[in-house]
Amino acid sequence: MTAPHGINPNVPHSARVYDYWLGGKDNFEADRRVAEQVIEAVPGVRESARNNRAFLGRAVRHLTRLGVRQFLDLGTGIPSQGNTHEVAQAEAPESRVVYVDNDPIVMTHARALLTSTAEGRTAYIEADVRDPQSILEHPDVLATLDFTRPVAIMMVAILMHISDDDDPAGLVKAYAQALPKNGYLVVSHLTLDLVSEEMAGRYLKATRHQAMHRTPRTGEQITRYFEGFDLVEPGLVGVSEWQDAPLFPDPATWMYAGVGRKR
């Protein structure tokens, strides 16, 4: 892979590390070194990333089959196989998706890789998830999504990148307020609830690198994001347990996942 203009291939980047775990090709040697170091120290981290991706696909497929045709995907990361619009439009070609990320590295990849069916629409905006108003009022969002009809807000593996100082629960509430009744919220989030204390310590030590910084949260904290929503069965569970058997057997479960329907 040749580095696009403005991207330093010698500095590890979390989105490219994640891409490597998913089996993607949009990563460099520096990213692969960090990714392998974490894999060696933390059993199951790669499988967890892949199961998280599989959860996104299952959630989008489930919602599309319920009639949802609009998705706002926040913090999308580097596009890879099984993007939100690919899954949704495979079920319903008229589906419309807006991707949001504030990372110019991700933007470079997205411009090249994100395409839509002729019947549907896919848009990508560069914006900060921590500024809901700028996203919800963005012209490309308003031109693509109709918030008087059901919309699913996708917050898959993004809230763990937001510090407590930035009030992730408040951010979720701001986005949720824009949803009509029967809109949906899709969340997956890093947790240390489901692993041993020894394993949790190994994870925290292995991810001190700036490229891997994340904030793990408890099931109780993550459940609060669904205030005003009814959780779809089976509720908030390990990411590989949401409505299906795991695609990749998990040596350890590092993420919770859930889907809520707005009351």
Side-chain angles (χ1 to χ4, degrees):
M1 176 185 170
T2 302
H5 177 70
I7 293 178
N8 186 347
N10 299 312
V11 178
H13 188 278
S14 61
R16 295 196 303 262
V17 170
Y18 195 75
D19 176 74
Y20 176 76
W21 287 342
L22 292 177
K25 298 179 180 179
D26 293 303
N27 50 76
F28 302 107
E29 180 60 31
D31 308 303
R32 294 190 284 271
R33 280 199 304 269
V34 171
E36 286 292 346
Q37 288 168 6
V38 178
I39 289 170
E40 184 177 354
V42 185
V45 69
R46 175 165 50 190
E47 291 82 358
S48 185
R50 295 180 179 186
N51 280 323
N52 181 63
R53 190 67 176 186
F55 159 71
L56 181 149
R58 292 200 303 277
V60 171
R61 196 171 297 111
H62 177 79
L63 295 178
T64 305
R65 291 172 181 175
L66 290 177
V68 177
R69 297 291 183 267
Q70 303 186 106
F71 299 84
L72 178 60
D73 191 327
L74 301 171
T76 182
I78 292 175
S80 61
Q81 187 174 6
N83 292 295
T84 297
H85 79 281
E86 291 175 336
V87 178
Q89 292 178 352
E91 294 287 332
E94 69 275 21
S95 296
R96 303 166 76 87
V97 180
V98 178
Y99 293 100
V100 181
D101 208 294
N102 70 336
D103 193 323
I105 290 175
V106 172
M107 176 67 113
T108 299
H109 294 287
R111 284 172 174 157
L113 298 174
L114 294 182
T115 58
S116 175
T117 58
E119 302 94 326
R121 180 165 178 173
T122 300
Y124 186 96
I125 66 170
E126 187 172 3
D128 195 324
V129 171
R130 295 171 297 182
D131 187 358
Q133 186 174 1
S134 73
I135 293 169
L136 294 169
E137 296 179 358
H138 193 284
D140 289 346
V141 172
L142 296 176
T144 306
L145 304 179
D146 177 1
F147 282 89
T148 66
R149 302 177 65 188
V151 176
I153 292 181
M154 311 292 295
M155 305 189 84
V156 176
I158 181 61
L159 292 167
M160 61 198 199
H161 293 278
I162 296 174
S163 71
D164 291 338
D165 290 342
D166 288 317
D167 186 18
L171 292 176
V172 174
K173 187 172 293 186
Y175 286 107
Q177 287 174 346
L179 287 176
K181 183 179 179 181
N182 298 332
Y184 288 87
L185 174 66
V186 179
V187 172
S188 65
H189 198 297
L190 174 67
T191 187
L192 301 181
D193 284 5
L194 307 175
V195 299
S196 68
E197 188 174 331
E198 185 267 341
M199 192 78 77
R202 289 172 64 178
Y203 176 86
L204 293 172
K205 183 177 180 180
T207 55
R208 287 175 182 168
H209 193 286
Q210 185 175 1
M212 296 308 304
H213 177 69
R214 291 162 172 79
T215 301
R217 294 189 171 94
T218 66
E220 182 180 354
Q221 290 173 305
I222 298 165
T223 297
R224 291 181 194 144
Y225 299 149
F226 290 99
E227 289 182 2
F229 291 81
D230 293 319
L231 280 166
V232 174
E233 290 294 332
L236 188 71
V237 294
V239 71
S240 64
E241 299 172 6
W242 196 85
Q243 291 204 356
D244 210 343
L247 183 62
F248 302 93
D250 272 334
T253 300
W254 295 99
M255 300 190 76
Y256 275 122
V259 176
R261 181 178 183 178
K262 189 174 179 181
R263 299 188 192 104

